[in-house]
Amino acid sequence: MKFHSVVIDANFLMRDYPLRGNALQKMIKTKSFYALEICIPEVVRDECIGNYAKDMEVASKELIGLSDKLDRLGLQGVLSKNTVAKKLDSSRQKYTRRLDDFIAVNGVKLLPYPAVRHKDVVERMYQQKKPFTDVGVREKGYKDFLIVASIEEYLKRGVQDNVLLLTENVADFACAKALSKKENPLLPLDDQYGLSNVYVARSATVLFSALSSNIGQSCSSEVISTFNEKLVRAVRVRLSDVDAELLLDMFGAFLDVNIEQDTIRCEVIESQIQIDDEVDIMEAKGIIKVSFRCTFSVDNFDVQFKIVDDQFVFMKQVKDRVFQERLPWRGEWSENFSNVEFSKEFLFEYIDIDYVENNEGVTRELDILYLSVSRL
């Protein structure tokens, strides 16, 4: 079962207001690999913006209350109300731009509001068809209905393959019978919507498991298995001889990280291989998971001169240590980190411009010069 696109619901985006979470970034970075279109309905965009403003209002009231409490404790000025208010107001405006930029820069398709008749919506409410199943509040589910209607109009524009709806609110979308069967995590949309080629994924894990069916193969399982084994060995070689390019790919910084070689584990999650026999070229791409333990050192110089910043994969550990030890961010210090666990997924690409499917081709190792990896 092949999927043409993924439609993202607001509850998934609202868990990640900065739009930098692993699941969302993985979806964006692998969309070409899975030949996938990422869609956000316009109603979801507006819901995210509205809820961000609401959440900021709640945070503003909590911070003002904390400021008043600190004042009563004789700690006037520790938390400035005016400064907080300005930052919160600025954040509201920035979030709209951030979300719109995310949509534009990453080629996300914005599904416009559907052209549905108000009469049809009201009739559906009184018929208690999904998502209008709450008798006490008939209008509950209106935004969910608009999402499905947006998908329906999107399908009418020529989308032939299946569509995945990523949402945590499966009860209002998924088939009730399928919901009662826990062995199938991927759920069909309820029959009341009349869209048989739309499925519901309740998590990114379920979504990526379903997307495995998008991987087409034009070569045998033996060739794939052999390549995967050689890929694992090639990645281990690169890890044992760490170069500047790999440091940046893996850690997001040109910092000396000592990898404990006996702890290295590599697992090929997905691999797609294309072979052109006429010109003897083999191209492979996919996802590989790399895990190991390591040690590294960071000092104030690394931080001040941006050798390590928020892109550094271990920056949380660094910030936690600085906070725990009360180290001055701009003062002089040096900290060692040992037995740090690393586990990340990477996109890989490999090309063999002299591929021959014979004994020589089977035994020859991958040339690491033609192997590229990038962190998801």
Side-chain angles (χ1 to χ4, degrees):
M1 181 165 53
K2 188 175 181 180
F3 294 95
H4 177 275
S5 48
V6 170
V7 178
I8 306 176
D9 195 4
N11 46 45
F12 185 81
L13 293 171
M14 285 159 51
R15 288 169 59 94
D16 180 22
Y17 279 130
L19 304 173
R20 292 196 297 265
N22 289 338
L24 190 58
Q25 288 300 312
K26 180 178 178 179
M27 206 182 309
I28 292 298
K29 292 179 181 179
T30 59
K31 66 188 180 78
S32 60
F33 173 66
Y34 287 115
L36 200 65
E37 188 165 56
I38 308 296
C39 305
I40 294 178
E42 194 172 358
V43 61
V44 165
R45 171 199 176 272
D46 293 347
E47 184 179 357
C48 287
I49 293 170
N51 276 282
Y52 184 84
K54 188 171 106 177
D55 290 346
M56 290 296 289
E57 187 66 30
V58 171
S60 177
K61 289 179 180 178
E62 289 176 351
L63 283 168
I64 289 171
L66 179 58
S67 176
D68 291 340
K69 187 174 182 179
L70 290 170
D71 288 347
R72 289 196 299 272
L73 292 170
L75 298 172
Q76 290 86 354
V78 172
L79 186 62
S80 171
K81 293 181 188 178
N82 291 334
T83 301
V84 168
K86 287 180 181 178
K87 286 187 177 181
L88 291 177
D89 187 58
S90 173
S91 294
R92 290 188 189 94
Q93 299 171 17
K94 286 179 180 177
Y95 177 71
T96 301
R97 292 198 298 269
R98 184 191 312 147
L99 181 56
D100 288 342
D101 286 347
F102 174 83
I103 291 170
V105 170
N106 294 301
V108 175
K109 188 174 186 64
L110 192 65
L111 304 184
Y113 276 90
V116 293
R117 296 193 311 165
H118 296 298
K119 179 179 175 61
D120 294 339
V121 179
V122 172
E123 285 180 356
R124 191 178 186 94
M125 288 178 184
Y126 281 95
Q127 291 168 357
Q128 293 181 30
K129 289 184 178 180
K130 278 193 174 183
F132 305 112
T133 55
D134 191 327
V135 180
V137 186
R138 294 191 188 279
E139 294 80 8
K140 186 178 179 181
Y142 179 63
K143 292 191 293 291
D144 295 336
F145 174 75
L146 291 179
I147 290 172
V148 176
S150 295
I151 295 173
E152 184 176 13
E153 292 190 358
Y154 170 63
L155 290 170
K156 288 178 180 177
R157 293 197 286 272
V159 176
Q160 300 297 322
D161 290 322
N162 300 297
V163 171
L164 271 170
L165 171 61
L166 178 61
T167 179
E168 296 175 357
N169 178 25
V170 293
D172 285 337
F173 292 107
C175 173
K177 289 182 180 179
L179 275 169
S180 64
K181 299 177 182 179
K182 295 182 179 180
E183 66 271 12
N184 183 12
L186 187 65
L187 304 167
L189 198 69
D190 196 281
D191 292 340
Q192 292 182 358
Y193 291 112
L195 300 176
S196 59
N197 58 335
V198 179
Y199 293 82
V200 181
R202 67 181 83 205
S203 69
T205 302
V206 172
L207 178 131
F208 285 110
S209 176
L211 289 179
S212 294
S213 60
N214 276 27
I215 307 300
Q217 296 293 353
S218 60
C219 52
S220 68
S221 58
E222 272 186 273
V223 171
I224 297 170
S225 177
T226 300
F227 173 82
N228 288 349
E229 290 172 5
K230 292 192 287 186
L231 173 65
V232 167
R233 290 197 293 270
V235 171
R236 291 182 67 96
V237 168
R238 288 198 67 183
L239 289 172
S240 63
D241 184 21
V242 179
D243 54 33
E245 181 184 356
L246 187 63
L247 280 172
L248 192 58
D249 286 336
M250 288 220 152
F251 308 119
F254 293 109
L255 193 70
D256 187 16
V257 178
N258 182 32
I259 298 169
E260 297 179 24
Q261 298 296 313
D262 60 342
T263 67
I264 296 173
R265 300 290 182 271
C266 300
E267 177 189 0
V268 180
I269 307 297
E270 303 277 15
S271 61
Q272 184 177 15
I273 300 174
Q274 302 290 335
I275 299 172
D276 190 331
D277 293 324
E278 293 184 2
V279 291
D280 296 331
I281 290 178
M282 184 268 282
E283 294 181 84
K285 58 183 178 179
I287 302 171
I288 186 170
K289 185 177 181 179
V290 180
S291 306
F292 52 76
R293 285 201 309 270
C294 62
T295 62
F296 62 92
S297 298
V298 175
D299 59 32
N300 59 297
F301 178 88
D302 297 324
V303 173
Q304 290 173 23
F305 287 90
K306 303 295 184 183
I307 294 173
V308 297
D309 55 20
D310 286 339
Q311 297 301 312
F312 181 47
V313 71
F314 300 123
M315 196 60 179
K316 183 180 183 303
Q317 288 93 326
V318 174
K319 287 182 176 179
D320 287 347
R321 177 75 63 83
V322 169
F323 177 77
Q324 291 165 5
E325 301 296 328
R326 297 183 179 180
L327 301 173
W329 199 246
R330 295 187 175 277
E332 188 173 338
W333 51 267
S334 179
E335 289 292 314
N336 298 317
F337 296 79
S338 59
N339 293 321
V340 180
E341 298 287 345
F342 176 94
S343 184
K344 298 291 179 185
E345 289 184 353
F346 294 82
L347 276 174
F348 71 81
E349 290 187 4
Y350 181 77
I351 183 167
D352 187 342
I353 59 175
D354 189 25
Y355 179 81
V356 180
E357 194 172 353
N358 54 24
N359 290 336
E360 180 188 356
V362 170
T363 57
R364 190 177 60 191
E365 295 300 315
L366 303 190
D367 187 339
I368 59 175
L369 290 175
Y370 297 102
L371 173 65
S372 64
V373 293
S374 57
R375 182 157 44 100
L376 291 176

